[in-house]
Amino acid sequence: MRAQSSATTATTIAVSTLTADTAAPVDRRSGTLQAALGVTAFSLTFPATAWGLEGFGPWSLVAVRSVLAAVVAGGCLLVLRIPVPDRRHWAGLAVVAAGVVLGFPMLTTLALRTSTTAHAAVVVGLLPLTTALLSALRTGNRPSRTFWAAALAGAAAVVAFTVQQSGGALTSADLYLFAALLVCAAGYTEGGRLARVMPGWQVIGWALVLCLPLSVPAAAIALGHEPVRLTAHAVAGLLWVAAGSQSLGLVVWYRGMAAIGIPKASQLQLAQPLLTLVWSVLLLGEHLTVAAPMTAAAVLVCIAVTQRARG
């Protein structure tokens, strides 16, 4: 009940902000800022998921977060009387739903049962490069050699850091993590493409609503078979991954991608693993090495280069 009440409140608050999506075009500076806000929201996903797993089973956590996020999104779509998208857009929305709404949350949640957040951050470190590659294949966009060099350097720095943080050992969770990487990159690519023809919040909103026939019965079944402990951490983690990561975070992320392009927006995510590690220290008590500030500086340089490189 507490989670449902919070989701309803979030719907009311979101309606007043989402109307700006149709009021004026998003310029590139604003697009970069919104994409960065999306990355910040996403950086809390793994720590929030770890909190959520303290009180929910993995299947319950993913299904309930999808339902709550769909309540927020569906409420906004209903209140604002948004028409149903054209039939030609539904295939793309299905890709977004499969990759971002269902695939990535489920696979990473399963991985986080046995993996630390630092190790899981390897996925996020590789996600910008994978998204840029899929975007090039899907949209025909061809970024410059400077862009690719900076992207590869940034990805290498992030991967080296996160693997070092996890001790360099591969775990059984890695298959989940690499599968999550692929499906999320596909969802980001298709969502960024759709955000050029419809407001970004509607892209994720319709994707969430599209999942309701699966997420509602899945939540009912999972809650009936997995134990639930409604601790403060568990509830806070659930509410964040539902309203923060899977709703408002994706709204600003898709708007940002539509404004500055998928490849450049994806490179802002190079900072996400480092932010996640900071949250892991503050919220989960994990310890970092002195390599963190050095890697952060290298990543920021790579981000600056990719943002200036011509596509």
Side-chain angles (χ1 to χ4, degrees):
M1 294 297 294
R2 180 178 177 181
Q4 289 285 359
S5 176
S6 298
T8 303
T9 303
T11 299
T12 304
I13 296 174
V15 167
S16 63
T17 61
L18 291 176
T19 53
D21 227 344
T22 57
V26 182
D27 61 32
R28 295 185 66 82
R29 182 177 298 179
S30 176
T32 300
L33 175 61
Q34 290 187 77
L37 289 174
V39 169
T40 303
F42 299 154
S43 71
L44 280 161
T45 300
F46 285 171
T49 300
W51 273 9
L53 287 172
E54 294 180 13
F56 295 90
W59 298 97
S60 299
L61 181 62
V62 173
V64 173
R65 74 180 271 184
S66 180
V67 171
L68 292 180
V71 168
V72 175
C76 293
L77 293 169
L78 183 62
V79 170
L80 296 176
R81 299 180 180 180
I82 304 299
V84 176
D86 294 339
R87 183 177 298 179
R88 59 193 173 95
H89 296 319
W90 281 103
L93 289 171
V95 174
V96 176
V100 178
V101 177
L102 297 178
F104 187 78
M106 187 71 260
L107 291 166
T108 54
T109 300
L110 290 172
L112 285 171
R113 293 182 303 167
T114 56
S115 173
T116 65
T117 56
H119 190 81
V122 173
V123 173
V124 181
L126 293 174
L127 186 56
L129 181 59
T130 307
T131 303
L133 285 170
L134 291 182
S135 171
L137 294 173
R138 180 69 177 86
T139 66
N141 182 44
R142 295 294 183 269
S144 66
R145 291 181 179 179
T146 301
F147 177 95
W148 286 117
L152 287 169
V158 170
V159 170
F161 177 67
T162 50
V163 169
Q164 184 272 335
Q165 285 290 300
S166 64
L170 295 178
T171 69
S172 59
D174 287 324
L175 289 178
Y176 288 131
L177 294 174
F178 286 117
L181 167 69
L182 293 175
V183 299
C184 189
Y188 279 174
T189 298
E190 200 64 22
R193 186 186 66 82
L194 288 172
R196 295 179 178 179
V197 296
M198 69 175 72
W201 74 271
Q202 292 182 28
V203 174
I204 187 58
W206 287 114
L208 285 164
V209 171
L210 187 63
C211 289
L212 277 174
L214 293 176
S215 59
V216 170
I221 294 172
L223 289 172
H225 288 79
E226 292 180 334
V228 175
R229 287 191 310 119
L230 295 180
T231 64
H233 276 184
V235 173
L238 171 63
L239 292 178
W240 179 259
V241 294
S245 302
Q246 203 156 34
S247 295
L248 300 180
L250 283 170
V251 167
V252 292
W253 173 243
Y254 280 136
R255 290 190 73 196
M257 279 201 296
I260 66 177
I262 298 172
K264 287 190 175 182
S266 70
Q267 296 315 300
L268 291 174
Q269 281 196 303
L270 287 169
Q272 185 173 327
L274 303 179
L275 289 173
T276 297
L277 291 169
V278 171
W279 298 127
S280 298
V281 170
L282 297 177
L283 300 177
L284 303 177
E286 295 184 5
H287 299 284
L288 302 181
T289 68
V290 293
M294 297 176 59
T295 308
V299 167
L300 289 176
V301 170
C302 292
I303 291 175
V305 173
T306 58
Q307 295 306 298
R308 291 180 178 274
R310 291 184 178 181

